[in-house]
Amino acid sequence: HTLAAPCRSLLTLASVIGRDFDLETLAQVSNTSRENLLYTLESAVGTHIITPNPQTVGSYCFTHALIHDMLYPDLPTAERVRLHRRVGELLQERYRLPDASITGRLPAHILAALAHHFYEAARGGDVNEQAISYAVQAGQHATAMLAYEEATAHYTRALALMAPLHPTDAQQQSRLLIALGHAQAQAGEIPQARETLLRAAEV
């Protein structure tokens, strides 16, 4: 579908928030009123590019992952990094998180979203303790929910984030490697699990 430039621009920003996005966050990252958002996004709803999310009032989802994946690369890397940082900070404000170690009983999808946005922000060189903490907690939560493939992804990211920040912290590195190896084994990735646990032993 051919979209008007303002609508495509808003959808591109929404793609950074995720396959599902809410109007409140989109309004803040785009500096646009909710009324203008609704008006501009109307054509995207009419052509079934996005659809209201029936489970959450005030939110939408891209009808196909391909549409989301097509829009996301439209943004320059530096802008994507900035927006991921902004969305992560907005989530922190919304859930009143004074720091990344106090997540309480956050819903699983919010914890995963925090881990995702702070990881993507870190890819621009902004590696910090928050990004590591959210990745580790998302990995622990996924493990507790028996979502081992998801846990593997989170622990892998945590290790990648830790490398530039704590290159000599053998204790934390080995702890993460053991958690990753356990998740890989439970996910049926036996050769990878063996290799990861050998790395942990070396550390």
Side-chain angles (χ1 to χ4, degrees), residues 82-161:
R82 184 189 72 78
L83 287 166
H84 278 296
R85 161 67 56 192
R86 179 73 181 122
V87 174
E89 289 170 348
L90 287 170
L91 281 172
Q92 283 184 315
E93 289 170 21
R94 190 171 302 167
Y95 290 92
R96 295 180 176 84
L97 301 173
D99 63 63
S101 65
I102 307 172
T103 57
R105 294 178 179 271
L106 280 181
H109 69 284
I110 298 300
L111 189 51
L114 283 161
H116 168 68
H117 289 299
F118 277 94
Y119 173 75
E120 291 298 333
R123 293 176 77 173
D126 184 17
V127 185
N128 56 46
E129 298 292 347
Q130 282 185 320
I132 296 172
S133 180
Y134 285 133
V136 171
Q137 289 178 79
Q140 290 169 340
H141 196 286
T143 299
M145 301 299 290
L146 310 184
Y148 296 114
E149 288 183 9
E150 190 178 331
T152 296
H154 287 303
Y155 285 132
T156 300
R157 288 178 171 188
L159 282 159
L161 290 164

Side-chain angles (χ1 to χ4, degrees), residues 6-7 19 49 54 60 75 104 107 111-112 118 122 128 137 147 152 165 174 177 179 186 191 194 198:
C7 184
R19 173 92 187 264
I49 289 172
Y60 291 82
L75 285 168
L111 189 51
F118 277 94
N128 56 46
Q137 289 178 79
T152 296
L165 213 57
S174 63
L177 284 166
Q186 294 296 323
R194 187 179 294 117
L198 282 171

Side-chain angles (χ1 to χ4, degrees), residues 142-203:
T143 299
M145 301 299 290
L146 310 184
Y148 296 114
E149 288 183 9
E150 190 178 331
T152 296
H154 287 303
Y155 285 132
T156 300
R157 288 178 171 188
L159 282 159
L161 290 164
M162 208 183 82
L165 213 57
H166 302 292
T168 58
D169 190 340
Q171 188 174 8
Q172 189 178 1
Q173 190 180 358
S174 63
R175 196 162 53 238
L176 278 177
L177 284 166
I178 290 167
L180 172 60
H182 170 71
Q184 287 171 326
Q186 294 296 323
E189 301 171 6
I190 304 304
Q192 296 94 322
R194 187 179 294 117
E195 187 179 323
T196 300
L197 293 172
L198 282 171
R199 276 178 62 202
E202 287 168 9
V203 170

